[in-house]
Amino acid sequence: MPNPTPRLGRPRDSQIDSTVLRAARELLAEVGYAGVAMDAIAARAGVGKAAIYRRFGSKAELLFASAVHGMDIEPPPDTGSLRGDVRAMAGLALERLSTPAARMLTPALMVEMARDPALVARFQGTFIAQERRDLTAILERAEKRGELPGPLDPTVAHLLLGGPLFLALFAFHLPVDDILLDELASVIAAGLIARSRDAAG
């Protein structure tokens, strides 16, 4: 049975962690999401399943960490402006979501999450929470610079940034280039600044 309290991002041995993630990526590319089994990952990585479940609570979490990002991501370096930081974050998000592994994983993962509320809760408490912590750091920088009169809920920024990229990549299948990322960053930053001013009265 899966460990109900996996320690995402805190492996006991970093070499085992990287080996498991590599095995998961390879199997995802070879057999697709539905065909990947934890037994097969363990066998290819040369570890026991217990070692995997100490790190990841499910196949979905392991494959997301291997194909998109783990719990060790950090916000981009300070660019000196909210707009620049949002643009840098958008570029990182596009890079993570545009790999062949991420493009293969994401549609299947969305289907599984739609029918498994427990999995959604786990993602909200791990990967999504980490992404929002990175956005919180960006918003706090902007507040210290004086670009934002007060604090903002990072959930809004997360939706504004992630929503367009998901739609473009996985729903509309549109090309996402630097011009589009620049436009998104400008609109999102302007919207966040305006919202913060409204909230400050």
Side-chain angles (χ1 to χ4, degrees):
M1 293 293 290
N3 185 341
T5 57
R7 297 179 178 180
L8 291 175
R10 294 189 295 166
R12 295 182 181 182
D13 185 317
S14 60
Q15 183 60 45
I16 291 177
D17 193 56
S18 63
T19 300
V20 168
L21 293 172
R22 183 171 61 253
R25 280 193 299 272
E26 290 173 354
L27 284 167
L28 178 64
E30 292 170 13
V31 300
Y33 182 85
V36 175
M38 293 294 258
D39 285 331
I41 295 172
R44 180 165 298 198
V47 303
K49 280 202 300 182
I52 296 178
Y53 281 124
R54 280 195 294 270
R55 292 157 171 79
F56 307 97
S58 67
K59 179 179 83 170
E61 290 159 88
L62 169 53
L63 290 179
F64 185 90
S66 73
V68 185
H69 70 75
M71 292 295 292
D72 57 349
I73 60 170
E74 296 182 356
D78 191 341
T79 66
S81 72
L82 176 60
R83 190 253 178 217
D85 284 358
V86 170
R87 173 63 176 82
M89 181 69 92
L92 287 174
L94 177 62
E95 181 180 327
R96 293 168 186 148
L97 293 171
S98 295
T99 66
R103 285 183 173 273
M104 180 179 292
L105 169 69
T106 302
L109 181 59
M110 298 303 291
V111 171
E112 182 161 346
M113 292 178 75
R115 61 192 181 203
D116 188 351
L119 181 61
V120 173
R122 292 177 65 81
F123 266 74
Q124 288 175 342
T126 52
F127 301 113
I128 294 172
Q130 182 61 48
E131 293 170 7
R132 287 181 182 165
R133 282 192 287 271
D134 288 351
L135 283 165
T136 296
I138 287 176
L139 295 175
E140 288 175 347
R141 290 176 193 167
E143 189 178 353
K144 288 178 181 178
R145 294 189 205 103
E147 291 179 277
L148 299 177
L152 282 177
D153 182 354
T155 302
V156 174
H158 196 200
L159 291 170
L160 289 173
L161 180 60
L165 290 177
F166 263 86
L167 284 174
L169 292 172
F170 301 109
F172 301 153
H173 302 284
L174 298 174
V176 180
D177 56 17
D178 287 339
I179 295 174
L180 180 58
L181 291 182
D182 288 343
E183 286 292 319
L184 285 175
S186 296
V187 171
I188 292 169
L192 291 173
I193 290 169
R195 179 68 187 95
S196 180
R197 287 173 178 165
D198 290 343

